[in-house]
Amino acid sequence: ETGVTQSPTHLIKTRGQQVTLRCSSQSGHNTVSWYQQALGQGPQFIFQYYREEENGRGNFPPRFSGLQFPNYSSELNVNALELDDSALYLCASSLEAGVNTGELFFGEGSRLTVL
Amino acid sequence: QKEVEQNSGPLSVPEGAIASLNCTYSDRGSQSFFWYRQYSGKSPELIMFIYSNGDKEDGRFTAQLNKASQYVSLLIRDSQPSDSATYLCAVSGSNYQLIWGAGTKLIIKP
């Protein structure tokens, strides 16, 4: 069974730049969620994609956007990077869209540093 | 603002003892409750989930839920050094999201 993989694992950007993070979901999973985790904090929900449609969004500005592809892999794009965007970005896949129905399988994350 | 609160710790427990981790939440509409374990530099992994009031046991782990008090806890029996990690409480919110606490750092002393 293929786990959740994320790339890149680490990257450094400067303020104002744009970044794309990628995630391959676990085999058989059709739902991908993205979370931002600042140091010493719990994850913050960015959005969720179910069958290529965004079906839930947290309190993040529009410069955070995403995509899900027919093979259920996903991208997170962040435009106009700010210093506070420095964090660990976690992708999680699940069998269905509802959080009540099962567990989230997390990738190892992409650590973004904005200088 | 819907919140999940946890004591940040660190909580230090002798090996073989019971570790008790607590979490309170603000949204009375929450239906599902999760405990995740996160080792330093790693991603969270699910330990337990609980939907109904009462206790749920899985091996050395017991989750307890009291919806009236908006309180959920995790007990770890026979604590091992490998249990040393940050434990994150997560609660279902609207919009298919989980709302997370900041985590409690647990240290098991040999």
Side-chain angles (χ1 to χ4, degrees):
Chain A
E1 190 172 18
T2 305
V4 179
T5 58
Q6 292 187 242
S7 62
T9 55
H10 295 80
L11 67 165
I12 300 173
K13 293 285 188 177
T14 57
R15 273 189 308 174
Q17 285 189 311
Q18 178 266 344
V19 68
T20 297
L21 307 178
R22 296 179 175 83
C23 172
S24 294
S25 61
Q26 182 150 325
S27 178
H29 288 186
N30 58 19
T31 303
V32 171
S33 304
W34 285 92
Y35 287 83
Q36 179 196 66
Q37 187 176 24
L39 200 61
Q41 300 298 315
Q44 299 289 319
F45 177 71
I46 303 175
F47 42 57
Q48 180 182 89
Y49 278 83
Y50 173 65
R51 295 186 178 181
E52 302 178 58
E53 296 287 331
E54 182 184 299
N55 72 340
R57 189 177 182 93
N59 190 26
F60 279 81
R63 60 189 185 84
F64 286 78
S65 63
L67 284 173
Q68 188 179 31
F69 300 99
N71 66 355
Y72 302 133
S73 65
S74 177
E75 286 184 354
L76 165 64
N77 299 289
V78 187
N79 294 322
L81 284 167
E82 301 177 0
L83 297 179
D84 284 349
D85 296 333
S86 295
L88 180 67
Y89 287 86
L90 294 164
C91 169
S93 74
S94 56
L95 276 172
E96 293 294 337
V99 293
N100 296 343
T101 58
E103 63 185 280
L104 298 179
F105 292 81
F106 282 91
E108 289 304 314
S110 295
R111 184 163 297 282
L112 171 65
T113 302
V114 182
L115 301 176
Chain B
Q1 180 78 4
K2 296 169 183 174
E3 295 182 341
V4 175
E5 300 287 341
Q6 295 181 255
N7 188 320
S8 61
L11 174 66
S12 184
V13 173
E15 183 176 357
I18 296 175
S20 178
L21 303 161
N22 304 313
C23 170
T24 59
Y25 60 95
S26 63
D27 184 5
R28 285 194 173 274
S30 295
Q31 298 293 318
S32 306
F33 307 86
F34 303 84
W35 283 99
Y36 280 79
R37 177 177 63 199
Q38 187 172 28
Y39 292 112
S40 180
K42 299 295 186 181
S43 58
E45 57 178 329
L46 183 68
I47 300 294
M48 294 280 293
F49 59 88
I50 186 167
Y51 302 150
S52 304
N53 275 329
D55 294 0
K56 179 182 178 182
E57 185 174 322
D58 183 2
R60 296 187 297 113
F61 299 94
T62 299
Q64 299 175 317
L65 175 61
N66 184 326
K67 289 186 178 181
S69 300
Q70 295 174 245
Y71 178 91
V72 58
S73 64
L74 178 71
L75 301 177
I76 306 174
R77 289 181 300 281
D78 188 23
S79 296
Q80 303 296 311
S82 59
D83 295 327
S84 297
T86 295
Y87 288 79
L88 297 161
C89 173
V91 173
S92 63
S94 60
N95 247 356
Y96 300 111
Q97 66 174 297
L98 289 182
I99 303 168
W100 299 71
T104 298
K105 185 173 183 178
L106 176 65
I107 299 172
I108 306 300
K109 291 189 171 181

